[in-house]
Amino acid sequence: MYDGAEQYGPEQWSLELNRLNGVLESTISPGGLVGDSADMQSLHSLIGKAINHSFPVVILGETGTGKELVARWIHDSGSRKNSPFVPVDCSSLAPTLIESELFGYVRGAFTGAVTDRKGLFETADTGTLFLDEIGELHKDLQAKLLRAIQEHEVRPVGSTRAKPVDVRIIVATHRDLKQAAKEGIFRQDLYYRLNVFSVTMPPLRERKTDIPLLIAAFLIKHADPTRAITSVGKTFWTAAMSYDWPGNVRELENFVERCIALGSGSTLEDEDECLNWKDCPDTAMLHAESDSVEPLHVLEQRMIYKTLGKTSGDKYEAARLLGIGKTTLYRKLKAYGPL
Ligand SMILES: Nc1ncnc2c1ncn2[C@@H]1O[C@H](COP(=O)(O)OP(=O)(O)O)[C@@H](O)[C@H]1O
Ligand SMILES: [Mg+2]
């Protein structure tokens, strides 16, 4: 639990919010990264060293820790800021598509290629290409990527001519890239070429002192013009500070947004009531697979917890995946009893 919890009682929150808003202004980074914990301060000075260069940057860290924000920060603060920042999610593109997406293609390269098309490398020329989830990139493409980075040129699919490009590469992954390189899942030569400068994002559970500031920031970001929030109630506070946030800042942001949307009045309260779904004593049983016939409600419960596991506790996303409304999901979770 956060040491300063006492001073953040509900009565003090209006005052505290004012103070936090002041701190926010003076500590927010160019990329919009909020936090003034010791971890975040060392991150600030580390990133400062990467800004006025063009070497590749590797950003490591769990999902939702702000890896993409850091990539944008590096781009927006350096000499490339007036050129494009092009993000690519390597995990969402099919391996067959990604080559032509990255390097482009020429007319006739394959069925349907009726004109020449520029790839994302060329789109990012003089700017930054952000390769998110690089750990998921297929090995064939890893070789082609290495060539593009080393030679500063790309060869569109179906073309024999290479085109020069001037692109800064920033990559991110939730994987342990060094280990992946050791195990041969990730090409070692590419790993060494990329790993010139590396930044590791700390998980939110290791810097809980940033939570109040993040809450203040998200109250502004997701402000509802019909609901002025001047204080934060005990239920919200307790939930926010005692939870481990496996989905990190992204999950906290969703939580604040939901509590603003689902509640009413000037005090923000915990509208979820079952944020700590992981602590449910039945969770292990619910994850177990079994061949025997079980009551439907047990199966339903199991499926809901499984989905919550997949979405790191993000109930909006879980409800979407399960094809039910979020209110229905809340109702069902509540019916399973207190956690
Ligand atoms: N330190 C932070 N301050 C403010 N917002 C943050 C911070 N870290 C993450 N976020 C927010 O959380 C969400 C996920 O951030 P993102 O950079 O996409 O994380 P990652 O790429 O590590 O999964 C975004 O909505 C972002 O605005
Ligand atoms: Mg990301």
Side-chain angles (χ1 to χ4, degrees):
M1 195 71 171
Y2 177 42
D3 292 345
E6 284 309 303
Q7 79 187 75
Y8 289 99
E11 315 77 36
Q12 279 81 25
W13 254 98
S14 326
L15 276 177
E16 189 52 26
L17 275 179
N18 280 339
R19 190 191 70 82
L20 288 171
N21 289 338
V23 177
L24 254 184
E25 264 176 41
S26 61
T27 57
I28 200 156
S29 76
L33 228 78
V34 174
D36 66 350
S37 59
D39 273 352
M40 290 304 274
Q41 286 174 21
S42 25
L43 195 76
H44 270 250
S45 49
L46 184 64
I47 288 168
K49 293 183 184 146
I51 284 170
N52 288 316
H53 298 274
S54 271
F55 50 65
V57 176
V58 176
I59 308 170
L60 303 170
E62 292 176 13
T63 179
T65 46
K67 297 190 289 297
E68 182 155 353
L69 288 187
V70 167
R72 286 184 190 272
W73 171 6
I74 296 173
H75 173 82
D76 289 344
S77 310
S79 56
R80 294 175 177 260
K81 62 171 176 260
N82 296 320
S83 296
F85 174 87
V86 180
V88 190
D89 182 352
C90 300
S91 67
S92 70
L93 285 170
T96 44
L97 264 182
I98 205 161
E99 183 176 2
S100 54
E101 281 289 325
L102 286 178
F103 306 121
Y105 55 80
V106 292
R107 190 160 71 107
F110 44 82
T111 328
V114 286
T115 54
D116 290 3
R117 211 184 120 182
K118 264 204 300 195
L120 295 170
F121 257 93
E122 271 184 86
T123 308
D125 199 17
T126 71
T128 304
L129 186 64
F130 173 54
L131 299 168
D132 201 2
E133 294 308 347
I134 184 90
E136 314 310 304
L137 196 67
H138 194 272
K139 270 199 123 177
D140 287 351
L141 277 158
Q142 291 176 17
K144 289 179 177 153
L145 178 64
L146 177 64
R147 195 175 335 111
I149 297 174
Q150 287 196 152
E151 312 295 329
H152 303 282
E153 56 183 31
V154 289
R155 182 140 27 93
V157 178
S159 168
T160 48
R161 271 189 327 128
K163 293 180 176 180
V165 282
D166 165 23
V167 170
R168 180 172 204 180
I169 304 286
I170 303 184
V171 305
T173 177
H174 71 279
R175 280 184 191 271
D176 180 342
L177 214 52
K178 192 174 182 182
Q179 187 60 27
K182 229 181 229 166
E183 289 169 6
I185 302 165
F186 198 79
R187 285 184 71 108
Q188 289 215 351
D189 44 10
L190 179 58
Y191 172 71
Y192 289 122
R193 184 69 193 88
L194 291 172
N195 198 37
V196 177
F197 189 94
S198 129
V199 177
T200 302
M201 303 300 294
L204 187 55
R205 64 183 169 279
E206 285 175 14
R207 50 183 184 97
K208 284 196 166 179
T209 51
D210 280 337
I211 290 180
L213 208 53
L214 284 161
I215 293 172
F218 296 142
L219 280 174
I220 297 172
K221 186 170 170 188
H222 300 291
D224 173 353
T226 65
R227 185 181 177 201
I229 291 170
T230 49
S231 66
V232 176
K234 199 169 179 149
T235 59
F236 182 93
W237 176 248
T238 311
M241 294 313 291
S242 60
Y243 186 50
D244 257 356
W245 300 110
N248 293 293
V249 185
R250 180 183 286 113
E251 191 183 2
L252 174 65
E253 180 168 1
N254 284 341
F255 179 58
V256 174
E257 201 180 352
R258 277 199 307 277
C259 293
I260 296 174
L262 297 176
S264 57
S266 60
T267 303
L268 191 70
E269 295 287 359
D270 171 13
E271 304 294 336
D272 266 6
E273 291 178 8
C274 35
L275 191 61
N276 286 299
W277 57 273
K278 276 205 164 153
D279 301 338
C280 171
D282 287 338
T283 306
M285 176 277 283
L286 288 163
H287 279 290
E289 298 293 343
S290 156
D291 285 339
S292 57
V293 175
E294 288 169 305
L296 268 180
H297 73 269
V298 174
L299 288 178
E300 178 183 272
Q301 213 171 337
R302 178 180 296 161
M303 189 44 76
I304 287 178
Y305 281 112
K306 227 176 168 173
T307 312
L308 281 166
K310 271 197 180 140
T311 64
S312 301
D314 181 342
K315 298 191 189 69
Y316 259 30
E317 179 62 6
R320 194 186 64 76
L321 290 173
L322 290 162
I324 57 175
K326 60 178 188 301
T327 341
T328 312
L329 179 64
Y330 287 126
R331 189 166 40 74
K332 287 182 186 296
L333 283 170
K334 224 173 214 177
Y336 299 151
L339 301 176

